[in-house]
């Protein structure tokens, strides 16, 4: 490397940081960082310091780093004085950050750390009653041992998980692993395979509701599969697994006397801290301390009990708080004979906290229990009738919590307790759950416009946080036949689930809705609203299905969908299924039908003012026309489509249009324009988490590098595309990227690897009926046969490609170029014999021959 910019780009790539991510960390613009990497600008000393900080450069080396960045020293000095960038500690964690220090758990934390250092201790469960602080202690320990787990320390929240079948996807989501969604391996096998060589700690939180399920043994299976992975679990009871080491977590210690120096690191110190946070003016007197100690004793040193009790210092004296808890504790202890008293101390706190709420607060809290994973103020007002004053009061009393994203949530134990009270009033419970479903799904449906606006990133993040509420509301709507309500969410549903790559989960939700609708109304509902709902559900189901590479299934669903929707004569319902069916037809090589469908889709979209699908169908029609060579003016139309997307303001679909525009620019030999469009696409897709489009952008950049003879770079970019599509399960594009990558491997002289890659692509294409991919592989293998002096068979393959209507322009160009070379080396009779052979041997015959 000759320049600092080249060095910086390499370090960023090794850290797997996008340019946008590093720019955000440094505090400069993406454009400015690009200029630094391209050698057009030198960073200021201040910016160089910020870059060093972002790359975790040791303080002792920063002076040298800044001088190199400023051009005062040679870039070679970096390798002499700095460790390789991947030697710097890069934390891999999603551990939650606590706003307050841990009190009274220092000895426990040290002891747990020691246990985790023991090679024999692979599964350590912190066992204790609800609210005792198991999670907080586990998180503290996880932070302390981070350096011992170079592949990451991850928090796996299972409080809302009621089936062991969901443990695998929840773990995958927490560690950032995406399933390959192929037929070759199930989700568990893929996750275990990914973790097999990892040295990581998984903090598996709130397992108590899963302890008695047979599937809990999955944790033991994980440990057996991944020898360097350790599990730190929290549960109210032991998991009962042979591999388990159980560590009992009890309440905080309670001082034996009134010596104030002895209050440090005890339950009393926690009470004082929480009381002062609840009421800044609180200052415990000498008379208060005996009552505080009594409070701590009554709740058995339970941190949540202490926190709830301390919240009342604004309205009750410490002695009054102790008296109220004492009454409840005596009652619960006497009524629940045979159970350890400490196991019911939280219920005592909840009962007393409940009694001290106003009637309105009790009613609101019970209704709030229908939310899952938190809620916003607007939802609380509509669903639970919660005014801002009541919400504020409940926050002040530590009944609900408000986090930094304008969301509220209930501790899972508080929610369970409140739900018990709601369940005592059947009519009220039904009405509240109905309001919850209506509110969540209606708001979700209205989010579609924002998801296609400049606020797309924020909108997707907001609704990703509402996934638990969406699932609960969806299930309620299905159970109660609210299919019209579900239908209104489906545009937003498709955007959220496709962008996040949640194809399998999305299909599961859609299947349940389709099955329920058909069970109620039959396969062809007579009611127009039922038909509209069924058609739209099938549309979304087909979208997620063809993303997984199941083109024939998607085609059948979309054809059925159009049969259901066309008789309604409602153009609003048609652009989506027509567009998606057009895409599916193109993937199977039927471009004539694809063009017909997307042209009609654009007409319908323009008729009803559907800007999203008007622009989508324009992009697709122009691209399909370009592919089939029907017009020389498609580049202008693709530019117009991008302009339409910019007017809409949708980052994801701007990138979608840019990917098509780049393909056109590449075909015209405009390499700089193609690369510029694709680099913008990468930035936009990364910013909103649109992995599918990102894979296409990598694929396009690989094609640009390949066209310019930069084959090593092309291989790297195609591998990025393959990795991205593999995470998403996009079999067609995995096969296509591999087929294209094979040409660069062949150009580099790696014939063996090129053939292996081409044959792998061929097998994938066979599975998904991906004819265009097969034809691209035929050209690659023709190169290989020709190089090894089987020119006759090479010509046969080329003529099959040239005769087939599904051959893409890029494939045809490769085939014609090789044809010219080989014909110049062959006798005319040899060429004509190959041509005749290709005419008498159908494509499928050749395909099967190569597969075998």
């Amino acid at each position: 490397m000759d320049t600092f910019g080249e060095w910086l780009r390499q370090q960023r790539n090794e850290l797997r940081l996008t340019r946008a991510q590093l720019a955000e960390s440094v505090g400069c613009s993406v454009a400015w960082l690009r200029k630094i990497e391209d050698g057009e600008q030198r960073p200021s000393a201040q910016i160089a310091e910020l870059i060093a900080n972002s790359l975790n450069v040791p303080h002792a080396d920063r002076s040298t780093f800044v001088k190199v960045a400023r051009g005062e020293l040679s870039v070679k000095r970096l390798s002499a004085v700095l460790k390789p960038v991947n030697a710097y500690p890069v934390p891999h964690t999603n551990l939650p950050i606590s706003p307050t220090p841990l009190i009274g758990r220092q000895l426990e934390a040290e002891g747990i750390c020691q246990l985790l250092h023991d090679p024999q201790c692979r599964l350590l469960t912190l066992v204790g009653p609800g609210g005792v602080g198991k999670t907080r202690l586990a998180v503290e320990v996880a932070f302390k041992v981070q350096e011992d787990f170079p592949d990451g320390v991850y928090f796996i929240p299972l409080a809302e998980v009621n089936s062991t079948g969901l443990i695998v996807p929840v773990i995958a989501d927490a560690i950032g692993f995406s399933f390959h969604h192929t037929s070759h391996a199930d989700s568990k096998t893929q996750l275990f395979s990914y973790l097999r060589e990892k040295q990581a700690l998984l903090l598996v939180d709130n397992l108590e509701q899963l302890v008695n399920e047979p599937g809990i043994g999955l944790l033991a299976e994980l440990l057996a599969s991944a020898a360097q992975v350790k599990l730190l679990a929290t549960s109210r009871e032991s998991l009962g697994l042979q591999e388990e080491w159980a560590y009992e977590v009890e309440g905080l210690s309670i001082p034996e006397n009134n010596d104030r120096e002895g209050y440090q690191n005890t339950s009393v110190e926690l009470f004082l801290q929480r009381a002062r946070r609840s009421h800044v003016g609180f200052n415990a007197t000498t008379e208060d301390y005996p009552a505080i100690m009594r409070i701590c004793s009554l709740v058995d040193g339970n941190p949540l009990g202490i926190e709830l009790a301390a919240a009342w210092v604004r309205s009750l004296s410490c002695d009054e708080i102790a008296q109220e808890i004492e009454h409840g504790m005596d009652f619960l202890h006497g009524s629940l004979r045979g159970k350890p008293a400490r196991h019911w101390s939280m219920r005592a706190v909840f009962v007393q906290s409940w009694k001290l709420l106003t009637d309105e607060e009790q009613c609101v809290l019970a209704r709030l229990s229908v939310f899952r994973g938190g809620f916003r103020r607007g939802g609380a007002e509509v669903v639970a009738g919660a005014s801002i004053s009541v919400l504020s009061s409940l926050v002040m009393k530590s009944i609900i919590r408000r986090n930094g994203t304008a969301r509220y949530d209930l501790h899972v134990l508080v929610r369970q307790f409140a739900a018990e009270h709601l369940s005592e009033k059947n009519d009220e419970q039904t009405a509240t759950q109905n309001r919850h479903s209506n509110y969540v799904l209606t708001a979700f449906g209205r989010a579609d416009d924002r998801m296609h606006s400049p606020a797309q990133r924020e909108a997707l993040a907001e609704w990703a946080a509402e996934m638990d509420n969406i699932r609960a509301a969806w299930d309620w709507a299905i159970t109660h036949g609210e299919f019209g309500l579900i239908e209104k969410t489906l545009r937003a549903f498709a955007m959220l689930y496709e962008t996040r790559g949640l194809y399998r989960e999305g299909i599961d939700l859609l299947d349940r809705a389709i099955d329920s609708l058909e069970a109620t109304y039959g396969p062809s509902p007579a009611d127009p609203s039922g038909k509209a709902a069924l058609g739209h559900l099938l549309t979304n189901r087909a979208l997620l299905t063809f993303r997984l590479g199941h083109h024939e299934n998607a085609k059948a669903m979309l054809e059925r969908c159009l049969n259901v929707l066309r008789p309604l004569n409602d153009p609003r319902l048609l652009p989506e299924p027509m567009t998606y069916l057009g895409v599916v037809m193109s993937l199977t090589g039927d471009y004539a039908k694809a063009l017909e469908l997307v042209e009609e889709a654009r007409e319908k979209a323009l008729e009803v003012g559907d800007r999203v699908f008007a622009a989508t169908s324009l992009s697709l029609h122009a691209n399909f026309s370009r592919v089939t060579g029907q017009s020389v003016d498609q580049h202008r139309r693709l530019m117009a489509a991008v302009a339409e997307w910019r007017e809409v303001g949708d980052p994801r679909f701007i990138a979608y249009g840019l990917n098509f525009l780049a393909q056109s620019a590449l075909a015209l030999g405009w390499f700089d324009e193609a690369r510029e469009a694709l680099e913008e696409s990468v930035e936009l897709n990364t910013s909103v988490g649109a992995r599918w489009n990102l894979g296409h952008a990598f694929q396009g950049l690989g094609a640009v590098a390949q066209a310019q003879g930069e084959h090593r770079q092309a291989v790297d970019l195609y591998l990025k595309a393959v990795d991205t599509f593999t995470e998403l399960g996009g079999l067609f594009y995995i096969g296509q990227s591999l087929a294209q990558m094979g040409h660069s491997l062949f150009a580099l002289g790696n014939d063996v690897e090129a053939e292996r890659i081409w044959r792998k692509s061929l097998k994938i294409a066979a599975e998904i009926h991906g004819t265009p991919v097969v034809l691209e592989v035929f050209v690659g293998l023709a190169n290989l046969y020709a190089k090894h002096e089987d020119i006759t068979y090479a010509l046969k393959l080329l003529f099959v490609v040239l005769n087939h209507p599904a051959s893409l322009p890029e494939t045809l160009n490769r085939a014609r170029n090789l044809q010219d070379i080989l014909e110049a080396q062959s006798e005319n009779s040899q060429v004509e014999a190959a041509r005749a052979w290709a005419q008498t041997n159908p494509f499928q015959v050749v395909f099967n021959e190569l597969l075998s």
Side-chain angles (χ1 to χ4, degrees), residues 496-509:
L496 179 63
Y497 276 77
E498 187 193 9
T499 301
R500 286 176 60 84
L502 298 173
Y503 307 140
R504 295 288 186 189
E505 181 185 336
I507 287 172
D508 178 63
L509 290 174

Side-chain angles (χ1 to χ4, degrees), residues 328-386:
M329 288 283 285
D330 290 341
F331 171 76
L332 288 172
H333 184 273
S335 299
L336 297 168
R337 205 167 307 159
K339 294 282 187 180
R342 68 178 185 276
H343 291 171
W344 297 96
S345 59
M346 283 312 304
R347 179 169 291 278
V349 173
F350 291 147
V351 167
Q352 294 311 313
S353 296
W354 180 265
K355 286 181 178 179
L356 294 171
L357 296 178
T358 66
D359 290 345
E360 183 182 13
E361 289 169 349
Q362 288 181 355
C363 183
V364 166
L365 179 60
R367 291 170 179 168
L368 289 174
S369 68
V370 301
F371 284 99
R372 296 292 183 270
F375 53 89
R376 291 180 174 270
R377 176 184 165 189
E381 184 176 2
V382 172
V383 175

Side-chain angles (χ1 to χ4, degrees), residues 34 81 134 149 157 333 354 529 648 827:
R34 182 188 291 112
V81 300
K134 301 183 294 294
F149 297 91
H333 184 273
W354 180 265
S529 63
V648 172
E827 299 289 337

Side-chain angles (χ1 to χ4, degrees), residues 161-198:
V161 173
N162 294 314
S163 168
T164 52
L166 295 174
I167 292 179
V168 165
V170 172
I171 291 177
D173 184 63
I175 67 176
F177 173 74
S178 298
F179 297 112
H180 299 180
H181 298 309
T182 69
S183 61
H184 305 300
D186 59 23
S187 299
K188 184 178 78 171
T189 302
Q190 292 179 49
L191 178 65
F192 284 13
S193 177
Y194 173 79
L195 291 171
R196 183 165 294 123
E197 302 300 326
K198 302 295 184 184

Side-chain angles (χ1 to χ4, degrees), residues 616-798:
T616 302
S617 53
L618 174 59
S619 294
L620 290 167
H621 193 278
N623 191 59
F624 296 161
S625 298
R626 179 191 67 80
V627 166
T628 54
Q630 292 189 19
S631 171
V632 295
D633 199 26
Q634 300 314 318
H635 193 75
R636 180 191 60 78
R637 295 182 68 215
L638 288 166
M639 291 178 66
V642 172
E644 285 191 23
W645 280 121
R646 293 194 191 279
E647 187 177 340
V648 172
D650 181 327
R652 179 186 170 213
F653 277 95
I654 293 171
Y656 178 78
L658 287 169
N659 286 347
F660 284 139
L661 185 64
Q663 291 177 26
S664 176
L666 177 61
L668 294 169
W670 301 344
F671 300 134
D672 290 342
E673 181 179 332
R675 183 177 285 107
E676 182 180 349
L678 290 165
E679 287 178 349
E680 183 183 358
S681 175
V682 168
E683 283 194 30
L684 290 170
N685 288 315
T686 301
S687 72
V688 298
R691 301 284 293 163
W692 191 269
N693 281 351
L694 184 62
H696 281 293
F698 287 142
Q699 194 180 42
L701 287 168
V704 173
Q706 188 177 82
Q708 295 185 289
E710 299 169 355
H711 292 293
R712 294 192 186 280
Q713 183 183 10
V715 169
D716 290 341
L717 288 163
Y718 281 127
L719 282 173
K720 285 187 176 181
V722 169
D723 289 345
T724 303
F725 288 125
T726 299
E727 290 176 5
L728 298 171
L731 290 175
F732 180 90
Y733 296 105
I734 296 171
Q736 187 180 62
S737 298
L738 289 171
Q740 293 164 340
M741 183 172 67
H743 294 295
S744 284
L745 289 168
F746 182 78
L748 291 168
N750 195 341
D751 295 3
V752 173
E753 183 64 8
E755 182 175 10
R756 186 187 71 82
I757 288 294
W758 277 325
R759 292 198 179 277
K760 182 177 179 181
S761 174
L762 205 62
K763 290 179 181 178
I764 293 172
E767 183 179 342
I768 61 171
H769 307 285
T771 303
V773 175
V774 174
L775 294 164
E776 182 68 36
V777 173
F778 280 9
V779 177
L781 292 174
N783 275 283
L784 201 62
Y785 282 113
K787 184 175 181 179
H788 293 279
E789 299 184 355
D790 192 348
I791 292 176
T792 299
Y793 195 69
L795 283 168
K796 290 176 179 178
L797 290 177
L798 293 177

